[in-house]
Amino acid sequence: MNEETPLLSGRTAPSESKVSNTRLYLAVFSAVLGNFNFGYSLVYPSPVLPKFKSPDIDPRLRMDTVQAAWFGSIYSLGAAGGGLGAMLLNDLIGRKMSIMLSAVPSTLGYMLMGGAVDLWMLHLGRFLNGVAGGMTAASIPVYISEISHQKVRGALGSCPQITAVFGTLTLYALGLVVPWRWLAVAGAVPAVLMVILLTFMPSSPRRLLSLGREQHAEKNLRWLRGSQYNTEAELLAIQHSINTKVRITWAQLANPIYYRPILISVGMRFLQQMTGITPILVYLEPIFAKSNVSLEPRFDAAIVGAVRLFSVVLAASLMDKAGRKALLYTSSMLMFLSSLTLTMISHTTPCPPGPAPHNLTALDYSSGSMLQTSQQAAVSLLPIISTVVFIFGYAMGWGPITWLLMSEVLPLVARGVASGLCVTVSWLTAFFLTYIFTDLVESYGLYAPYLIFTIVCVFCLLFNAVCIPETRNRSLEEIENYFRTGRTFTITQSHPNLLPS
């Protein structure tokens, strides 16, 4: 194949090329069902932990504080293992097959939890769900970024986060009425549907070109872009990127073109988890129970899930208009202000008062008592308002954008392995935070973890200002060129023939 051989002879000229994204949207929807399952399984403990700690549960399934901490956190440990597995699978069997393979541990995990008769079945099922979550987290963003047209890559890059949030909201909503065993059974449905749909979806054209399968790559790209799209220019750019890449060694990682994007991606994933999002979502109902909110904790959790879904959809609509960095600044500020408020509230919130003496009952009708009651009611709403603002801020920026940026800035030569590394770092951090969260709350109250999260939000602001580039409307090749040259996205091509003859 060379520059003189047209890929689409007899079709429209490049100037008349027209993109149709209908099939692309179908492929993305099929893939992000894995993220729906990820969001659903992540917060499974929120509505069920109170049941496992109640005296009415089967004694074989009853959990104390340590066992509840393991049940909440072991998911993140499994996700770290899944991320490590994806480091090999992404390049060994491809992004699409890695996503499909995640349905195996996911389904097994739900079957174990749905039929659990002992604690080990709950913990093992939760761990397997985490393995599946880590695999999808490492594979789906890369798959979407490699099949998407650059004009819609920002919006589509936020789809994994949107569907994960929708999965979380679905779990919170079902948790209001569905028993915990049936919650586990319902979680297996999206994984099975994902496998069925992905069977008919194309593999990444970028990966096919890297394997030397030019005709298959051209066929898949035309399927994704529509019959009126001229694939030649895009295939040339992808092939040029592949031709100029080299197999790196450990010594070459000292080159800024490799270590800078990898460190940026790892730093984003580390800071994203250090904001405390995972323990807050996993223990949302127990947190509200300790915060003396006026509504039932299970209803508060559903409200937060709905707000999170709205905010991540809003972020998707703004991502290619406002830019990545502007949304990250907004996200960091909202999280900082809300976590600071939560820190102050949790530090000053008194213990719930005991029953009033019988001879003081008449004071309930005094104006002073009524004023005090209204003030207490207002204060009791502050935790849920602040939590809603925190979730809104996170879902506006540090939630979806860090996943998108990870898939955009990682160098092509190490993208599969590096994305697995990022997910592993992310979930090891989440495991550590989720496990110690209950101990911190038991020892110091909610004040201690909220203070840590507030400080981390300041580092998020600084990291965005100093380290993260703006990638809006940039192709993956231009982003790679930015790190190759130091400061410019413009690609200078010195050779006319980009594809090997």
PDB file of all heavy atoms in Angstrom, residues 70-100:
ATOM      1  N   TRP A  70     -13.686  -4.879  55.056  1.00  0.00           N
ATOM      2  CA  TRP A  70     -13.161  -5.728  53.988  1.00  0.00           C
ATOM      3  C   TRP A  70     -14.160  -5.856  52.843  1.00  0.00           C
ATOM      4  O   TRP A  70     -13.783  -5.833  51.670  1.00  0.00           O
ATOM      5  CB  TRP A  70     -12.814  -7.125  54.535  1.00  0.00           C
ATOM      6  CG  TRP A  70     -11.426  -7.219  55.037  1.00  0.00           C
ATOM      7  CD1 TRP A  70     -11.012  -7.264  56.338  1.00  0.00           C
ATOM      8  CD2 TRP A  70     -10.235  -7.252  54.245  1.00  0.00           C
ATOM      9  NE1 TRP A  70      -9.645  -7.334  56.404  1.00  0.00           N
ATOM     10  CE2 TRP A  70      -9.139  -7.319  55.139  1.00  0.00           C
ATOM     11  CE3 TRP A  70      -9.985  -7.222  52.880  1.00  0.00           C
ATOM     12  CZ2 TRP A  70      -7.824  -7.374  54.698  1.00  0.00           C
ATOM     13  CZ3 TRP A  70      -8.662  -7.278  52.439  1.00  0.00           C
ATOM     14  CH2 TRP A  70      -7.608  -7.344  53.341  1.00  0.00           C
ATOM     15  N   PHE A  71     -15.438  -5.989  53.189  1.00  0.00           N
ATOM     16  CA  PHE A  71     -16.447  -6.123  52.146  1.00  0.00           C
ATOM     17  C   PHE A  71     -16.520  -4.865  51.281  1.00  0.00           C
ATOM     18  O   PHE A  71     -16.716  -4.932  50.076  1.00  0.00           O
ATOM     19  CB  PHE A  71     -17.821  -6.394  52.776  1.00  0.00           C
ATOM     20  CG  PHE A  71     -18.904  -6.675  51.772  1.00  0.00           C
ATOM     21  CD1 PHE A  71     -18.905  -7.849  51.039  1.00  0.00           C
ATOM     22  CD2 PHE A  71     -19.925  -5.761  51.568  1.00  0.00           C
ATOM     23  CE1 PHE A  71     -19.905  -8.116  50.112  1.00  0.00           C
ATOM     24  CE2 PHE A  71     -20.931  -6.016  50.636  1.00  0.00           C
ATOM     25  CZ  PHE A  71     -20.918  -7.201  49.913  1.00  0.00           C
ATOM     26  N   GLY A  72     -16.353  -3.714  51.918  1.00  0.00           N
ATOM     27  CA  GLY A  72     -16.378  -2.471  51.168  1.00  0.00           C
ATOM     28  C   GLY A  72     -15.131  -2.252  50.328  1.00  0.00           C
ATOM     29  O   GLY A  72     -15.206  -1.715  49.223  1.00  0.00           O
ATOM     30  N   SER A  73     -13.970  -2.676  50.829  1.00  0.00           N
ATOM     31  CA  SER A  73     -12.703  -2.324  50.182  1.00  0.00           C
ATOM     32  C   SER A  73     -12.140  -3.392  49.265  1.00  0.00           C
ATOM     33  O   SER A  73     -11.332  -3.088  48.386  1.00  0.00           O
ATOM     34  CB  SER A  73     -11.661  -1.988  51.256  1.00  0.00           C
ATOM     35  OG  SER A  73     -11.425  -3.113  52.110  1.00  0.00           O
ATOM     36  N   ILE A  74     -12.535  -4.645  49.443  1.00  0.00           N
ATOM     37  CA  ILE A  74     -11.913  -5.721  48.672  1.00  0.00           C
ATOM     38  C   ILE A  74     -12.227  -5.595  47.181  1.00  0.00           C
ATOM     39  O   ILE A  74     -11.493  -6.102  46.328  1.00  0.00           O
ATOM     40  CB  ILE A  74     -12.365  -7.098  49.203  1.00  0.00           C
ATOM     41  CG1 ILE A  74     -11.376  -8.183  48.745  1.00  0.00           C
ATOM     42  CG2 ILE A  74     -13.795  -7.431  48.782  1.00  0.00           C
ATOM     43  CD1 ILE A  74     -11.611  -9.525  49.416  1.00  0.00           C
ATOM     44  N   TYR A  75     -13.282  -4.885  46.851  1.00  0.00           N
ATOM     45  CA  TYR A  75     -13.595  -4.606  45.448  1.00  0.00           C
ATOM     46  C   TYR A  75     -12.432  -3.866  44.793  1.00  0.00           C
ATOM     47  O   TYR A  75     -12.031  -4.186  43.662  1.00  0.00           O
ATOM     48  CB  TYR A  75     -14.872  -3.778  45.359  1.00  0.00           C
ATOM     49  CG  TYR A  75     -15.296  -3.422  43.948  1.00  0.00           C
ATOM     50  CD1 TYR A  75     -16.212  -4.215  43.258  1.00  0.00           C
ATOM     51  CD2 TYR A  75     -14.793  -2.303  43.300  1.00  0.00           C
ATOM     52  CE1 TYR A  75     -16.615  -3.902  41.972  1.00  0.00           C
ATOM     53  CE2 TYR A  75     -15.181  -1.977  42.007  1.00  0.00           C
ATOM     54  CZ  TYR A  75     -16.078  -2.778  41.353  1.00  0.00           C
ATOM     55  OH  TYR A  75     -16.470  -2.455  40.077  1.00  0.00           O
ATOM     56  N   SER A  76     -11.901  -2.862  45.482  1.00  0.00           N
ATOM     57  CA  SER A  76     -10.802  -2.077  44.932  1.00  0.00           C
ATOM     58  C   SER A  76      -9.548  -2.920  44.764  1.00  0.00           C
ATOM     59  O   SER A  76      -8.785  -2.724  43.812  1.00  0.00           O
ATOM     60  CB  SER A  76     -10.507  -0.878  45.843  1.00  0.00           C
ATOM     61  OG  SER A  76     -11.639  -0.046  45.959  1.00  0.00           O
ATOM     62  N   LEU A  77      -9.335  -3.864  45.678  1.00  0.00           N
ATOM     63  CA  LEU A  77      -8.187  -4.758  45.543  1.00  0.00           C
ATOM     64  C   LEU A  77      -8.346  -5.636  44.303  1.00  0.00           C
ATOM     65  O   LEU A  77      -7.389  -5.859  43.546  1.00  0.00           O
ATOM     66  CB  LEU A  77      -8.062  -5.628  46.794  1.00  0.00           C
ATOM     67  CG  LEU A  77      -6.729  -6.340  47.018  1.00  0.00           C
ATOM     68  CD1 LEU A  77      -5.590  -5.331  47.140  1.00  0.00           C
ATOM     69  CD2 LEU A  77      -6.804  -7.227  48.249  1.00  0.00           C
ATOM     70  N   GLY A  78      -9.564  -6.126  44.070  1.00  0.00           N
ATOM     71  CA  GLY A  78      -9.818  -6.896  42.855  1.00  0.00           C
ATOM     72  C   GLY A  78      -9.657  -6.054  41.610  1.00  0.00           C
ATOM     73  O   GLY A  78      -9.154  -6.524  40.584  1.00  0.00           O
ATOM     74  N   ALA A  79     -10.090  -4.778  41.676  1.00  0.00           N
ATOM     75  CA  ALA A  79      -9.949  -3.885  40.524  1.00  0.00           C
ATOM     76  C   ALA A  79      -8.486  -3.640  40.199  1.00  0.00           C
ATOM     77  O   ALA A  79      -8.114  -3.525  39.016  1.00  0.00           O
ATOM     78  CB  ALA A  79     -10.654  -2.563  40.808  1.00  0.00           C
ATOM     79  N   ALA A  80      -7.639  -3.549  41.220  1.00  0.00           N
ATOM     80  CA  ALA A  80      -6.202  -3.410  40.974  1.00  0.00           C
ATOM     81  C   ALA A  80      -5.660  -4.641  40.256  1.00  0.00           C
ATOM     82  O   ALA A  80      -4.860  -4.530  39.325  1.00  0.00           O
ATOM     83  CB  ALA A  80      -5.465  -3.191  42.296  1.00  0.00           C
ATOM     84  N   GLY A  81      -6.104  -5.831  40.674  1.00  0.00           N
ATOM     85  CA  GLY A  81      -5.697  -7.057  39.982  1.00  0.00           C
ATOM     86  C   GLY A  81      -6.204  -7.091  38.558  1.00  0.00           C
ATOM     87  O   GLY A  81      -5.492  -7.524  37.642  1.00  0.00           O
ATOM     88  N   GLY A  82      -7.435  -6.634  38.351  1.00  0.00           N
ATOM     89  CA  GLY A  82      -7.977  -6.572  37.004  1.00  0.00           C
ATOM     90  C   GLY A  82      -7.215  -5.599  36.129  1.00  0.00           C
ATOM     91  O   GLY A  82      -7.018  -5.842  34.931  1.00  0.00           O
ATOM     92  N   GLY A  83      -6.773  -4.499  36.711  1.00  0.00           N
ATOM     93  CA  GLY A  83      -5.961  -3.542  35.963  1.00  0.00           C
ATOM     94  C   GLY A  83      -4.636  -4.137  35.540  1.00  0.00           C
ATOM     95  O   GLY A  83      -4.165  -3.920  34.414  1.00  0.00           O
ATOM     96  N   LEU A  84      -4.013  -4.909  36.434  1.00  0.00           N
ATOM     97  CA  LEU A  84      -2.760  -5.581  36.087  1.00  0.00           C
ATOM     98  C   LEU A  84      -2.979  -6.587  34.956  1.00  0.00           C
ATOM     99  O   LEU A  84      -2.167  -6.698  34.030  1.00  0.00           O
ATOM    100  CB  LEU A  84      -2.198  -6.297  37.313  1.00  0.00           C
ATOM    101  CG  LEU A  84      -1.502  -5.421  38.356  1.00  0.00           C
ATOM    102  CD1 LEU A  84      -1.176  -6.238  39.598  1.00  0.00           C
ATOM    103  CD2 LEU A  84      -0.231  -4.818  37.779  1.00  0.00           C
ATOM    104  N   GLY A  85      -4.088  -7.335  35.035  1.00  0.00           N
ATOM    105  CA  GLY A  85      -4.394  -8.278  33.976  1.00  0.00           C
ATOM    106  C   GLY A  85      -4.610  -7.588  32.638  1.00  0.00           C
ATOM    107  O   GLY A  85      -4.189  -8.072  31.591  1.00  0.00           O
ATOM    108  N   ALA A  86      -5.260  -6.424  32.692  1.00  0.00           N
ATOM    109  CA  ALA A  86      -5.519  -5.677  31.458  1.00  0.00           C
ATOM    110  C   ALA A  86      -4.237  -5.171  30.825  1.00  0.00           C
ATOM    111  O   ALA A  86      -4.185  -4.957  29.601  1.00  0.00           O
ATOM    112  CB  ALA A  86      -6.455  -4.509  31.745  1.00  0.00           C
ATOM    113  N   MET A  87      -3.178  -4.959  31.620  1.00  0.00           N
ATOM    114  CA  MET A  87      -1.897  -4.540  31.070  1.00  0.00           C
ATOM    115  C   MET A  87      -1.409  -5.542  30.029  1.00  0.00           C
ATOM    116  O   MET A  87      -0.825  -5.171  29.007  1.00  0.00           O
ATOM    117  CB  MET A  87      -0.869  -4.401  32.195  1.00  0.00           C
ATOM    118  CG  MET A  87      -1.128  -3.247  33.143  1.00  0.00           C
ATOM    119  SD  MET A  87       0.009  -3.234  34.570  1.00  0.00           S
ATOM    120  CE  MET A  87       1.565  -2.967  33.749  1.00  0.00           C
ATOM    121  N   LEU A  88      -1.658  -6.826  30.288  1.00  0.00           N
ATOM    122  CA  LEU A  88      -1.247  -7.859  29.339  1.00  0.00           C
ATOM    123  C   LEU A  88      -2.309  -8.101  28.281  1.00  0.00           C
ATOM    124  O   LEU A  88      -2.005  -8.213  27.090  1.00  0.00           O
ATOM    125  CB  LEU A  88      -0.964  -9.164  30.101  1.00  0.00           C
ATOM    126  CG  LEU A  88       0.126  -9.109  31.169  1.00  0.00           C
ATOM    127  CD1 LEU A  88       0.196 -10.441  31.916  1.00  0.00           C
ATOM    128  CD2 LEU A  88       1.478  -8.780  30.557  1.00  0.00           C
ATOM    129  N   LEU A  89      -3.568  -8.149  28.695  1.00  0.00           N
ATOM    130  CA  LEU A  89      -4.638  -8.521  27.771  1.00  0.00           C
ATOM    131  C   LEU A  89      -4.887  -7.473  26.700  1.00  0.00           C
ATOM    132  O   LEU A  89      -5.235  -7.817  25.569  1.00  0.00           O
ATOM    133  CB  LEU A  89      -5.923  -8.783  28.563  1.00  0.00           C
ATOM    134  CG  LEU A  89      -5.909 -10.001  29.485  1.00  0.00           C
ATOM    135  CD1 LEU A  89      -7.194 -10.067  30.306  1.00  0.00           C
ATOM    136  CD2 LEU A  89      -5.732 -11.281  28.682  1.00  0.00           C
ATOM    137  N   ASN A  90      -4.729  -6.186  27.029  1.00  0.00           N
ATOM    138  CA  ASN A  90      -4.990  -5.136  26.049  1.00  0.00           C
ATOM    139  C   ASN A  90      -4.162  -5.306  24.786  1.00  0.00           C
ATOM    140  O   ASN A  90      -4.638  -5.072  23.675  1.00  0.00           O
ATOM    141  CB  ASN A  90      -4.720  -3.755  26.658  1.00  0.00           C
ATOM    142  CG  ASN A  90      -5.936  -3.202  27.371  1.00  0.00           C
ATOM    143  OD1 ASN A  90      -7.054  -3.666  27.179  1.00  0.00           O
ATOM    144  ND2 ASN A  90      -5.727  -2.203  28.202  1.00  0.00           N
ATOM    145  N   ASP A  91      -2.915  -5.690  24.956  1.00  0.00           N
ATOM    146  CA  ASP A  91      -2.039  -5.867  23.797  1.00  0.00           C
ATOM    147  C   ASP A  91      -2.019  -7.307  23.305  1.00  0.00           C
ATOM    148  O   ASP A  91      -1.682  -7.556  22.146  1.00  0.00           O
ATOM    149  CB  ASP A  91      -0.610  -5.428  24.141  1.00  0.00           C
ATOM    150  CG  ASP A  91      -0.500  -3.918  24.324  1.00  0.00           C
ATOM    151  OD1 ASP A  91      -1.279  -3.188  23.669  1.00  0.00           O
ATOM    152  OD2 ASP A  91       0.334  -3.466  25.125  1.00  0.00           O
ATOM    153  N   LEU A  92      -2.372  -8.244  24.172  1.00  0.00           N
ATOM    154  CA  LEU A  92      -2.309  -9.654  23.788  1.00  0.00           C
ATOM    155  C   LEU A  92      -3.527 -10.081  22.969  1.00  0.00           C
ATOM    156  O   LEU A  92      -3.395 -10.701  21.901  1.00  0.00           O
ATOM    157  CB  LEU A  92      -2.196 -10.527  25.043  1.00  0.00           C
ATOM    158  CG  LEU A  92      -1.991 -12.025  24.810  1.00  0.00           C
ATOM    159  CD1 LEU A  92      -0.661 -12.272  24.112  1.00  0.00           C
ATOM    160  CD2 LEU A  92      -2.055 -12.776  26.140  1.00  0.00           C
ATOM    161  N   ILE A  93      -4.715  -9.738  23.420  1.00  0.00           N
ATOM    162  CA  ILE A  93      -5.928 -10.164  22.712  1.00  0.00           C
ATOM    163  C   ILE A  93      -6.745  -8.974  22.202  1.00  0.00           C
ATOM    164  O   ILE A  93      -7.763  -9.173  21.533  1.00  0.00           O
ATOM    165  CB  ILE A  93      -6.822 -11.042  23.616  1.00  0.00           C
ATOM    166  CG1 ILE A  93      -7.319 -10.254  24.835  1.00  0.00           C
ATOM    167  CG2 ILE A  93      -6.075 -12.286  24.058  1.00  0.00           C
ATOM    168  CD1 ILE A  93      -8.294 -11.039  25.707  1.00  0.00           C
ATOM    169  N   GLY A  94      -6.323  -7.747  22.512  1.00  0.00           N
ATOM    170  CA  GLY A  94      -7.024  -6.572  22.012  1.00  0.00           C
ATOM    171  C   GLY A  94      -7.983  -5.976  23.022  1.00  0.00           C
ATOM    172  O   GLY A  94      -8.371  -6.618  24.001  1.00  0.00           O
ATOM    173  N   ARG A  95      -8.361  -4.722  22.768  1.00  0.00           N
ATOM    174  CA  ARG A  95      -9.223  -4.003  23.694  1.00  0.00           C
ATOM    175  C   ARG A  95     -10.624  -4.624  23.764  1.00  0.00           C
ATOM    176  O   ARG A  95     -11.181  -4.825  24.835  1.00  0.00           O
ATOM    177  CB  ARG A  95      -9.365  -2.537  23.278  1.00  0.00           C
ATOM    178  CG  ARG A  95      -8.178  -1.631  23.567  1.00  0.00           C
ATOM    179  CD  ARG A  95      -6.929  -2.016  22.844  1.00  0.00           C
ATOM    180  NE  ARG A  95      -6.005  -0.910  22.643  1.00  0.00           N
ATOM    181  CZ  ARG A  95      -4.690  -1.048  22.642  1.00  0.00           C
ATOM    182  NH1 ARG A  95      -4.146  -2.235  22.880  1.00  0.00           N
ATOM    183  NH2 ARG A  95      -3.916  -0.006  22.408  1.00  0.00           N
ATOM    184  N   LYS A  96     -11.197  -4.925  22.596  1.00  0.00           N
ATOM    185  CA  LYS A  96     -12.565  -5.441  22.576  1.00  0.00           C
ATOM    186  C   LYS A  96     -12.667  -6.783  23.294  1.00  0.00           C
ATOM    187  O   LYS A  96     -13.584  -6.994  24.102  1.00  0.00           O
ATOM    188  CB  LYS A  96     -13.052  -5.579  21.129  1.00  0.00           C
ATOM    189  CG  LYS A  96     -14.533  -5.910  21.022  1.00  0.00           C
ATOM    190  CD  LYS A  96     -14.981  -6.143  19.594  1.00  0.00           C
ATOM    191  CE  LYS A  96     -14.826  -7.586  19.208  1.00  0.00           C
ATOM    192  NZ  LYS A  96     -15.546  -7.941  17.960  1.00  0.00           N
ATOM    193  N   MET A  97     -11.740  -7.680  23.035  1.00  0.00           N
ATOM    194  CA  MET A  97     -11.788  -8.992  23.680  1.00  0.00           C
ATOM    195  C   MET A  97     -11.545  -8.891  25.181  1.00  0.00           C
ATOM    196  O   MET A  97     -12.111  -9.656  25.966  1.00  0.00           O
ATOM    197  CB  MET A  97     -10.771  -9.928  23.039  1.00  0.00           C
ATOM    198  CG  MET A  97     -11.147 -10.402  21.649  1.00  0.00           C
ATOM    199  SD  MET A  97     -12.729 -11.280  21.623  1.00  0.00           S
ATOM    200  CE  MET A  97     -12.372 -12.650  22.715  1.00  0.00           C
ATOM    201  N   SER A  98     -10.720  -7.937  25.596  1.00  0.00           N
ATOM    202  CA  SER A  98     -10.497  -7.734  27.026  1.00  0.00           C
ATOM    203  C   SER A  98     -11.782  -7.305  27.722  1.00  0.00           C
ATOM    204  O   SER A  98     -12.090  -7.759  28.833  1.00  0.00           O
ATOM    205  CB  SER A  98      -9.412  -6.677  27.245  1.00  0.00           C
ATOM    206  OG  SER A  98      -8.174  -7.094  26.735  1.00  0.00           O
ATOM    207  N   ILE A  99     -12.529  -6.413  27.062  1.00  0.00           N
ATOM    208  CA  ILE A  99     -13.803  -5.965  27.625  1.00  0.00           C
ATOM    209  C   ILE A  99     -14.771  -7.140  27.729  1.00  0.00           C
ATOM    210  O   ILE A  99     -15.444  -7.321  28.757  1.00  0.00           O
ATOM    211  CB  ILE A  99     -14.407  -4.842  26.763  1.00  0.00           C
ATOM    212  CG1 ILE A  99     -13.471  -3.628  26.724  1.00  0.00           C
ATOM    213  CG2 ILE A  99     -15.770  -4.419  27.309  1.00  0.00           C
ATOM    214  CD1 ILE A  99     -13.871  -2.590  25.680  1.00  0.00           C
ATOM    215  N   MET A 100     -14.851  -7.944  26.686  1.00  0.00           N
ATOM    216  CA  MET A 100     -15.764  -9.084  26.692  1.00  0.00           C
ATOM    217  C   MET A 100     -15.372 -10.108  27.761  1.00  0.00           C
ATOM    218  O   MET A 100     -16.235 -10.684  28.426  1.00  0.00           O
ATOM    219  CB  MET A 100     -15.788  -9.736  25.312  1.00  0.00           C
ATOM    220  CG  MET A 100     -16.358  -8.842  24.211  1.00  0.00           C
ATOM    221  SD  MET A 100     -16.247  -9.570  22.549  1.00  0.00           S
ATOM    222  CE  MET A 100     -17.400 -10.935  22.706  1.00  0.00           C
TER     223      MET A 100
END
